[in-house]
Amino acid sequence: MFLELLVSAVVTVVVVQVLRLFFADCDLTLQWAEMFGRSPGEACKGKVVWVTGASSGIGEGLAYRLAAAGCRLILSARREDELNRVKKTCLARYGGVQSEDILVVPVDLVQRDTHQQAVDTVIQHFKQIDCLVNNAGRSQRALWMKTSLEVDKECLELNTLGPLSLTKLVLPQMVQRKQGQVVVVTSIAGKFGAPGIGSYCGSKHALHGWFESLRIEGYDDNIKVTMVCPGPVFSDALKVAFTEQRSEGLGVEMRSSENRMATDRCAHLIAVAMSNSLDEVWVSRNPELSYCYLFQYFPAIARKIAVRLGQTRYRKVKAGINSLH
C-alpha cells in the first residue's frame, strides 16, 4: 500500500512538472522566485537603477515596472524625445514618483567617448548607482555567408562593447561602496546558435563570457551579475534590425498572431530576477524554452535536433522571408 502511494505521488509530481514546463514562460528557478521570492517592491524600492534602451520595447516596459516598485531611474537611449515620453508616462501612472526621481540621459552605446560624461551626470544627480541594466541592443536578420564584416563589427560594437564600456565606468563606485548589481539582457540566442542571426548570436554569446568572468571577479566586492535571456518578445526590434549591409534596416512589423511574449510580462520577470539576484534566467515561451533545457543538459542531442529543425528556418531566410515566428 505504501509503495503504491509513493509511486502515485512520484508520478503526480512528474506530470505536474512536465505540464508546468509545457505551459511555462520562464525557467523553473525564476518561476520559484516569482512565487516565493522577494517582489520588486520589497527588494528594489528606493534603489537607483540605470536602464539602457529605455525608449521602447523591453527597456520601456522595465522602466514602468521599476517605477511602480519605487525605484529611482536613469533612462538612456539615443532618442531623447522618446525617453522624455517614457518619463512622463511613469510620472502620470505612478503617483509616488517625482520628477527628480527619473533622470533622462541620452546615450549612444557606440559613441564610447561620451560614456564617462553620462556616468558623471548620473553620479552628480543621484550620488550613486545601485544597478545597471544593460538592455540596449539591435537584432539582425541575414545569412552567415552574406553578412558583411561591417555588420558583424557594428553588432559587436553596439551589443557587446557598448555595454562593456558603460559597465567598466559604473563599476568603480559600486566596488567602492561594496554593493552593486549588473543586469545584462542578452538573449536565448546567446545560449545557442540559430540560422539567419549569426552576428546577433555572436554578440550575445560574447556577453556571457565577459560577464560570467565579472561575476567571479566581483564576488569579494559584493557585485552581483544577473544574465537575462529573453526569447521572442513583442517590440519594434525587427523594424531596425541589421541585414546583410550596414546601411540597410529590416523594416519588418511583428504580427499580433506570432508566438511572442508580451513586453510587460517580460519586464515583470526581469524585475523578479533582479530582485532575487538570480544568476541566469530564461524568459521565453515554448518551444524556445525547451531548447534552452535541451542545450543546457543534452547538448549533443540538442545540436543534432537544431541542425535538422533549423533547415526550415534557414530556407525561409534564404528565400527572403524575414518574419520567422
Side-chain angles (χ1 to χ4, degrees), residues 16-33:
V16 168
Q17 291 302 321
V18 169
L19 288 174
R20 285 183 62 188
L21 177 61
F22 183 79
F23 292 105
D25 60 3
C26 62
D27 64 85
L28 289 172
T29 303
L30 184 50
Q31 288 180 51
W32 182 270

Side-chain angles (χ1 to χ4, degrees), residues 47-51 129-133 174 180-183 274:
K47 287 190 174 182
V48 177
V49 183
W50 191 346
V51 182
I129 301 166
D130 295 305
C131 178
L132 171 64
V133 182
M174 290 184 175
Q181 183 179 28
V182 179
V183 177
M274 290 171 54

Side-chain angles (χ1 to χ4, degrees), residues 83 185 325:
L83 293 173
V185 181
H325 286 89

Side-chain angles (χ1 to χ4, degrees), residues 271-293:
V272 171
M274 290 171 54
S275 303
N276 292 277
S277 298
L278 301 183
D279 292 334
E280 178 179 298
V281 295
W282 306 333
V283 181
S284 179
R285 301 166 71 176
N286 280 305
E288 288 82 4
L289 181 61
S290 296
Y291 295 161
C292 289
Y293 283 107

Side-chain angles (χ1 to χ4, degrees), residues 3 9 29 46 51 64 74 128 180 210 231 258 286 296 303 310 313:
L3 183 60
T29 303
V51 182
Y64 299 146
I74 304 102
Q128 67 187 56
W210 256 299
E258 294 178 1
N286 280 305
Q296 184 79 6
R303 288 188 176 96
R313 181 186 174 106

Side-chain angles (χ1 to χ4, degrees), residues 127-148:
K127 310 305 178 188
Q128 67 187 56
I129 301 166
D130 295 305
C131 178
L132 171 64
V133 182
N134 288 303
N135 167 72
R138 188 175 173 186
S139 190
Q140 181 234 3
R141 286 287 190 279
L143 293 178
W144 202 99
M145 290 183 62
K146 290 188 176 182
T147 302
S148 69

Side-chain angles (χ1 to χ4, degrees), residues 193 195 295 301-312 314-315:
F295 274 90
I301 296 174
R303 288 188 176 96
K304 292 183 183 300
I305 294 173
V307 168
R308 291 182 177 277
L309 296 183
Q311 296 307 305
T312 300
Y314 167 71
R315 284 190 282 270

